[in-house]
Every structure is written in structure tokens, then in C-alpha cells.
Amino acid sequence: MAFDKSEVEKIAHLARLHISDSEADEVTARIGDILGLIDQMQSVDTDGVEPLAHPLDVVQRLREDVITEKDQRQDLQTLAPNSQDGLYLVPKVLE
Amino acid sequence: MIEKTVAELSVALASGDISSVELTQTYLDRIAELNTELNAFITVCDESALDQARAADAARANGEAGALLGIPMAHKDIFCTQGISTTCGSRMLQNFVSPYDATVVERFKAAGAVTLGKTNMDEFAMGSSNENSFFGPVRNPWDTNRVPGGSSGGSAAAVAAGLCAMATGTDTGGSIRQPASFCGITGFKPSYGRVSRWGMIAFASSLDQAGTLCQSAEDAALMMNVMAGLDSKDSTSIDRDVEDYTATLDDSLDGLKIGIPRQHFAQGLNAEVEQAIRDALKEYEKLGASIREIDLPNNHLSVSAYYVVAPAEASANLSRYDGVRYGYRCENPLDLEDMYKRSRSEGFGDEVKRRIMVGTYALSAGYYDAYYRKAQKIRRLIKNDFDAAFEEVDIIVGPTSPHTAFELGAKSDPVAMYLEDIYTIAVNLAGLPAISIPGGMVNGLPIGMHLVGSDFAEARVLNIAHQFQQQTDWHCHKPAAFRQEG
């Protein structure tokens, strides 16, 4: 499958990454190589094969719907680059 | 003392030949002297380690016992440690200090083990050489111009050089076994779900598994006795009895059926490595095992399938790093989108960004069936290959890596680096337990032998590895330059 610079820009945006113009050719080439490796899969006929999402053939465990975690809000918020009055601060979204 | 295994140190501590404080100080002194050259540790915890050692000695004086009580260890810097920084080898988490311990860390603490520090690793565990760390590459103690393997390269180098008695690691595609092979130590990856992933920073959630790096299979069994078990905080942790992994180490291998996959002894395998592994296999014949060739016909597709599944899961897992709640935030963002994009682009290294983009592409509209669903079907074929093999044999044995440790900078092409894991990666896709043990030497560098067991056959894999180590002394070879007792 063709993979070009415009594709890289689109993917980078979806992944919320910024790829500068000076990096774009290199990144496109590298990802193209990786997709080349991945495309070896296409040589095998997998019609009728059941996909395997996960190595364990188990169902999700359920538990009682009760609070088991202690309140660590303060501890967790001190990790934030910018917080105030219990809120996480980000650049202004609305003028 | 640093020559001793965990099992031997445990005896020395119990008999009073040495205290945990003395032992901990010995390792701390070695780290202070040798880490500059190896770069195996990102963080060293001198004070808290000595506090823990004093507590272990006091507990022992009070009559407490336990195989790991007072044993100095290191944790891969992917495990969250309360009050000690956890970087995951990334600029993104350079200043991150977790408010809680990972379950694995908590269990070792409860067993009285001493945490010397946190070991270097490829950023977010993405790499096979430890060259992708924001904190610089780790060097192989056997030859400091060579890589230690990755992603658990710091843990492997630290154990090999005698900077700790044992270390934790994680293995998503070979990240415990390949560095164990390159550094001449024992590296064990349990079955998926056997050890809790809680507090272990996520890379690819259907593949990630915590395990051990140490000097022998017996030590791995002692570590597994502490690590393994159900954890209600990890929904994929398995509800299944934990064996005493040391209890069956001495079981006889008479009648054992070993399968050697044709596909692991094919083109691409270094001839000297092949010879060493074939020689090592003869030891098993002496122990009463029979050896037959088997086929894993879809093995050659494992790397391709893995590089869809792992990046896809990584792209979702790493979306949490947004510069809002924790981790790196760029300077002076223009707006919210600029903050997300620049924080992530400046905080992540090149390999991490590549994998996020590959994963994003594979999951994007119109490509899901061609990539992600196709990879999951291949994953089924790979699992079926193993299931069929284990109908015929008890254990699958081959080389861990196609060659010995390579030089720093030798594999700048990502695809060449990915192919490093050609013998290990299928095991993660199938969720099986596997170990790499020293199986020989070529040109002064260690070779790893790879043993793969069936689902939850941890005890059997450790038994088979241990029996080899009772017959041979490859696991006792040490890198001379780093093994002078001070």
C-alpha cells in the first residue's frame, strides 16, 4: 500500500504529534519500511480463521460495586504540570 | 559475596554470615564505582535502600524469615515506585514520581527485599538494544562497545555486572529474554496473566508481562514465588493457584520430550550460535530427554503480526500522555492542540513516535481489517502452531537470539532491529512462559538458550532450566572486567 508524506501528516494529526518539515521525509521512509515488513502478513490466506485478541480465553471478572480505592486526589494533582483549586489547567479553549 | 546467587545469599543472611546492611552497602559501593561506565541505573536509592536493609535485619532478629528477606534488588524503571521517580526511560516521565507502588514492587517489599534503584530501559520498553533510552544507552559488561539488549537492558547489565542480586523486567516481545541472552544471565517471562501488570507502565496490554532477571533458574523460582498470583487490580491477572516454583526444580527429566523448531535453526542463525545450542542440547540427552524436530510453520509471520498488534495497543495506551495530568508539558503552548502536539512530540523519542504512528495508521478508518484484524488472525495461527507442537513435545528449545550482542549503533534501521526478536516474539503473541539461560560462549560473548513451555507450565520450564544448570556452568561465567571483588 502506498504511503506518502500527506499520509504521515494525517496520521501525525490523529496521534496528536507534530512532525516538522525537516523530519517528514525520514519519518515517511521509516514508516514505509515498517509497513513493508507488516505487509508480509498479506501473503497468507486467513479466510475463516477466528481472530485472537488476547492470549487468555477467560471472561472479565466482576466485583461488587463498592468503593475500594482511597481518595488520592491531592497526591495525583500534585503531579500535574499546572493545577489550581482542584482543577487541571490548560490553555484557554474559548475566548 | 557478589558472586553468590540469591539462593546462596539467602543462606548467608539466614546464618548470620552477613547482614543485609553489609550486603546492601556492598552493592551500593559497586553501583557508585561502576554505573558511570555501564549506565545500568537511572535512579539509585542509597538512603531508602539502607533503611530497608536495616528493617530487614531487624525483622530477622525478631525471628522473621523468608528467602528474599534482605536481598538487594533493582526494579526496571517501568514499575511504579512510591516516592522514587519512575521514568520509563522517557523524557515524558523524567520528573514523574508515582503516588503508589506497582503490585510487583509491593510484593517484593512485603517479602523484605531491598530496592537499590531503578534500571535503565528502552523508552516505554520499545527497543531491543537499550539505545532508545532518553537517559542514554546501557553498555554490555562483557564488552562495553556492545549493547546489553533490550528493553530490560539496565536490569540485565546490572545483574551480569554484580550491581544487584536480582532484578525485575518486562517482556512484550523478548525484552527480558534477549537482554538475558546478550548479558549471559537467566531471564524468565511467565505466562501472560501470571504476574500482575498493575502499576507497570503499559506498552501493549495483551502482550506485556513482568518477569525476572537473575543468575539462575533457582533464583527465578524464588522470585516467582513472590511475584506470581492473582491481583484484583489487574483484570487480566489469572485466578489460578500459584505453585511453589522451587518444589519441582529437582524433578527428573528422564523421558522429557524436547522439540526443536526447524524454523529456529534456519537461515539467519549464526553458525557458531547454532553449534553452541546443539552442543547444549546434548546435555539434555544425557539427562534422559529425547529430542525431535518440530515445525512452527507461521513463525516467520510473528514479527509482522506483532508490529501491528503492539503499536496499535501502544497508540491507545500512550494517548494518556497529553501534558495535562502528569508528565512533560511543552513551554508556552499557543492553544490546547498545540499543547498536546508539542508536549507529545518533545516528550517522546523517535522510536516511540514511529510506533504510535504505525499503530494509529493500522487502526485508522479503512485499514482496520487489512491490518489489525489480519494480525489477530495470524496471532491465532501462531497460537495454533504452539498448541499442535505441545501435543507432541513437553518443551520447545532453540536459540534466544540469532547471534551474540552487537555493537552500539550497528542497527540504526528500525526493521533490522525488529527482526532481532524473531525467536522470542511469537511466545508473547501466544502468551506462553519462556526462559533464556546461558547455553555457551562465542568469541568471549554469552549465548542464550530459549526454552518455551505450554500455558502456565512455569514450574516445568524452571525445572528444565535448573536441571541444565546443575549439569553445566555456563550460568557461572561472569564478565571479568566487572567481577573483581572490591
Side-chain angles (χ1 to χ4, degrees):
Chain A
M1 270 170 245
F3 190 79
D4 57 29
K5 236 159 54 171
S6 67
E7 202 82 56
V8 164
E9 278 170 31
K10 190 178 130 203
I11 297 299
H13 174 69
L14 287 173
R16 296 297 183 270
L17 290 168
H18 174 73
I19 302 297
S20 67
D21 289 343
S22 61
E23 298 168 292
D25 285 333
E26 164 89 7
V27 170
T28 307
R30 294 297 196 194
I31 293 181
D33 290 346
I34 297 167
L35 294 175
L37 171 78
I38 289 170
D39 276 339
Q40 289 175 13
M41 294 192 308
Q42 310 302 344
S43 67
V44 185
D45 180 4
T46 52
D47 279 358
V49 176
E50 184 66 20
L52 178 68
H54 199 274
L56 294 178
D57 186 21
V58 291
V59 291
Q60 193 79 359
R61 272 196 312 278
L62 300 177
R63 62 167 175 82
E64 291 300 306
D65 185 16
V66 292
I67 296 167
T68 55
E69 285 293 300
K70 61 181 182 192
D71 181 3
Q72 296 193 84
R73 179 180 173 144
Q74 194 55 47
D75 289 342
L76 294 169
Q77 279 208 323
T78 57
L79 298 170
N82 200 354
S83 66
Q84 187 188 313
D85 303 330
L87 302 170
Y88 293 105
L89 299 188
V90 296
K92 198 182 282 183
V93 178
L94 297 172
E95 291 301 327
Chain B
M1 275 295 160
I2 58 143
E3 295 300 329
K4 292 190 188 299
T5 63
V6 171
E8 290 163 347
L9 289 173
S10 185
V11 172
L13 286 165
S15 67
D17 283 353
I18 193 166
S19 69
S20 177
V21 169
E22 289 169 312
L23 193 55
T24 300
Q25 190 61 58
T26 301
Y27 283 114
L28 289 172
D29 290 347
R30 290 181 60 78
I31 294 169
E33 185 193 339
L34 300 169
N35 192 52
T36 318
E37 198 172 347
L38 293 175
N39 200 27
F41 282 84
I42 292 174
T43 304
V44 182
C45 325
D46 298 76
E47 282 185 28
S48 61
L50 287 167
D51 285 345
Q52 289 173 345
R54 276 188 284 272
D57 287 336
R60 194 179 294 280
N62 274 331
E64 282 181 42
L68 302 187
L69 180 61
I71 302 280
M73 71 178 303
H75 286 296
K76 185 177 182 179
D77 211 13
I78 198 168
F79 291 100
C80 286
T81 44
Q82 189 173 13
I84 302 169
S85 85
T86 299
T87 69
C88 220
S90 182
R91 183 185 191 191
M92 183 60 83
L93 294 175
Q94 188 177 10
N95 299 311
F96 176 70
V97 180
S98 167
Y100 55 81
D101 281 328
T103 297
V104 163
V105 172
E106 199 175 86
R107 283 174 178 249
F108 277 110
K109 267 191 186 172
V114 171
T115 302
L116 295 166
K118 307 289 292 292
T119 54
N120 203 342
M121 55 182 285
D122 283 302
E123 184 178 8
F124 286 99
M126 297 178 188
S128 306
S129 70
N130 219 119
E131 292 168 296
N132 292 339
S133 169
F134 176 66
F135 301 91
V138 176
R139 289 172 183 271
N140 190 319
W142 291 89
D143 176 351
T144 52
N145 291 318
R146 293 176 190 270
V147 303
S151 68
S152 309
S155 285
V159 170
L163 303 188
C164 60
M166 58 183 185
T168 52
T170 59
D171 192 315
T172 304
S175 279
I176 287 174
R177 292 161 286 155
Q178 185 250 21
S181 170
F182 281 11
C183 291
I185 63 166
T186 298
F188 181 57
K189 181 202 95 72
S191 306
Y192 181 85
R194 182 68 292 185
V195 175
S196 170
R197 292 185 295 110
W198 197 80
M200 188 176 111
I201 293 172
F203 160 16
S205 301
S206 79
L207 302 162
D208 295 342
Q209 177 62 205
T212 67
L213 294 112
C214 49
Q215 295 188 67
S216 69
E218 183 182 19
D219 286 2
L222 291 169
M223 291 178 76
M224 280 298 292
N225 277 356
V226 166
M227 289 170 87
L230 176 66
D231 179 10
S232 59
K233 292 172 181 164
D234 172 3
S235 64
T236 58
S237 149
I238 195 91
D239 188 0
R240 185 182 173 115
D241 287 344
V242 177
E243 298 138 281
D244 172 358
Y245 296 106
T246 60
T248 48
L249 288 175
D250 292 322
D251 284 4
S252 165
L253 301 190
D254 196 30
L256 180 78
K257 286 178 280 185
I258 296 176
I260 58 168
R262 285 186 187 86
Q263 291 76 8
H264 289 195
F265 289 87
Q267 196 187 0
L269 175 61
N270 172 287
E272 290 166 307
V273 172
E274 173 170 359
Q275 192 53 51
I277 297 296
R278 291 197 185 276
D279 289 345
L281 279 162
K282 289 181 186 143
E283 297 295 332
Y284 278 119
E285 288 180 311
K286 289 184 203 163
L287 290 166
S290 61
I291 294 169
R292 69 183 74 175
E293 289 199 320
I294 58 161
D295 279 304
L296 296 172
N298 294 292
N299 185 74
H300 66 291
L301 298 170
S302 59
V303 178
S304 315
Y306 177 92
Y307 278 96
V308 174
V309 172
E313 294 183 10
S315 72
N317 275 326
L318 273 62
S319 65
R320 71 190 63 174
Y321 302 103
D322 56 5
V324 176
R325 290 153 303 157
Y326 52 88
Y328 177 82
R329 179 186 288 194
C330 67
E331 297 284 337
N332 307 317
L334 297 173
D335 54 29
L336 195 58
E337 184 172 302
D338 184 54
M339 188 194 76
Y340 290 148
K341 285 189 174 177
R342 279 205 293 124
S343 297
R344 289 166 60 78
S345 297
E346 294 167 19
F348 291 137
D350 288 345
E351 179 61 21
V352 173
K353 281 186 270 196
R354 267 197 292 274
R355 295 204 197 183
I356 289 173
M357 285 196 282
V358 169
T360 303
Y361 183 69
L363 293 175
S364 62
Y367 294 111
Y368 185 88
D369 282 349
Y371 287 113
Y372 196 65
R373 200 172 163 79
K374 182 82 182 179
Q376 289 189 324
K377 289 180 169 194
I378 303 273
R379 192 172 183 180
R380 171 76 63 188
L381 295 178
I382 286 165
K383 176 87 172 152
N384 289 349
D385 284 355
F386 281 113
D387 288 348
F390 285 119
E391 294 285 317
E392 304 293 321
V393 298
D394 304 310
I395 189 101
I396 296 172
V397 180
T400 307
S401 170
H403 44 70
T404 53
F406 51 87
E407 293 189 351
L408 273 93
K411 299 203 187 277
S412 54
D413 166 25
V415 170
M417 190 70 87
Y418 297 172
L419 292 168
E420 279 300 297
D421 295 325
I422 183 76
Y423 305 139
T424 54
I425 235 167
V427 168
N428 298 77
L429 291 167
L432 303 172
I435 196 167
S436 177
I437 56 174
M441 300 281 292
V442 168
N443 301 325
L445 294 170
I447 291 169
M449 180 160 65
H450 191 216
L451 283 63
V452 183
S454 57
D455 280 326
F456 297 101
E458 274 72 20
R460 191 64 170 145
V461 172
L462 291 167
N463 161 231
I464 296 166
H466 178 69
Q467 287 304 306
F468 182 80
Q469 295 183 333
Q470 296 300 103
Q471 288 295 112
T472 61
D473 67 353
W474 295 117
H475 63 296
C476 303
H477 288 232
K478 310 290 180 198
F482 289 89
R483 282 290 179 162
Q484 312 300 328
E485 290 259 9

